[in-house]
Amino acid sequence: MDLSKILVRNSDALVIQFFRYGFVAVAAAIVDTGLLFIFTHYLHWFYLLSATASFLISLILNYLLSTVWVFSRSAYRRHVEIIMFLIIGIVGLGLNLVIIWFFTSAVGLFYLKSKLLALLGVFFWSFFARRRLLSTPDLQTN
């Protein structure tokens, strides 16, 4: 097994991109969940405000790591790629907030447990949306 193919070289292979995106998602999830806790517990922000701020900060980390390591070849120019990434991120933020709200306010789970459920849903949405929209080699670059 060639580790440089998995960890270093650019790859359009679904398995390698999914593996790498898993690492990126874990890093972003740690930042997201940690900031959610800090904002809510220590700064006493409303949990949905905390969830919004922490998600947006982790989205920046996710973008940087994803474009450098996971989806290194984009079918678009950088400004279009950023706009598409933001659109995917905004949909992810919406899913995140709805899932957290539902499981915290409607079901009665602790907000951090709700966040863990949201992480799973948003992970799959984000990966497949980004793979489909941002790394498809046959799309036009205009």
Side-chain angles (χ1 to χ4, degrees):
M1 179 185 312
D2 183 9
L3 285 178
S4 68
K5 183 177 182 182
I6 296 170
L7 298 175
V8 180
R9 287 191 243 149
N10 292 342
S11 177
D12 290 327
L14 174 64
V15 173
I16 292 173
Q17 286 182 338
F18 194 77
F19 176 79
R20 289 179 182 180
Y21 194 76
F23 278 103
V24 169
V26 167
I30 290 169
V31 169
D32 189 1
T33 306
L35 289 175
L36 171 63
F37 178 74
I38 290 168
F39 295 157
T40 304
H41 187 77
Y42 292 110
L43 298 180
H44 308 290
W45 292 5
F46 180 59
Y47 75 95
L48 291 177
L49 175 62
S50 298
T52 301
S54 64
F55 186 91
L56 292 173
I57 292 167
S58 71
L59 184 64
I60 294 167
L61 174 66
N62 192 306
Y63 173 77
L64 294 172
L65 292 175
S66 290
T67 56
V68 169
W69 192 46
V70 181
F71 306 114
S72 55
R73 286 184 240 155
S74 176
Y76 297 96
R77 292 191 178 117
R78 182 66 69 184
H79 69 282
V80 174
E81 175 185 279
I82 290 170
I83 291 168
M84 292 177 72
F85 195 93
L86 286 174
I87 291 168
I88 294 166
I90 290 168
V91 172
L93 174 61
L95 288 171
N96 182 62
L97 293 175
V98 166
I99 293 168
I100 292 173
W101 171 83
F102 176 77
F103 284 103
T104 302
S105 294
V107 175
L109 287 180
F110 184 57
Y111 72 93
L112 289 176
K113 288 182 180 178
S114 301
K115 177 61 181 179
L116 294 177
L117 295 172
L119 284 169
L120 289 174
V122 173
F123 169 82
F124 287 104
W125 154 253
S126 297
F127 174 78
F128 288 108
R130 289 174 184 153
R131 178 171 166 78
R132 175 68 182 114
L133 294 176
L134 296 177
S135 70
T136 305
D138 58 325
L139 293 176
Q140 299 289 326
T141 56
N142 340 5

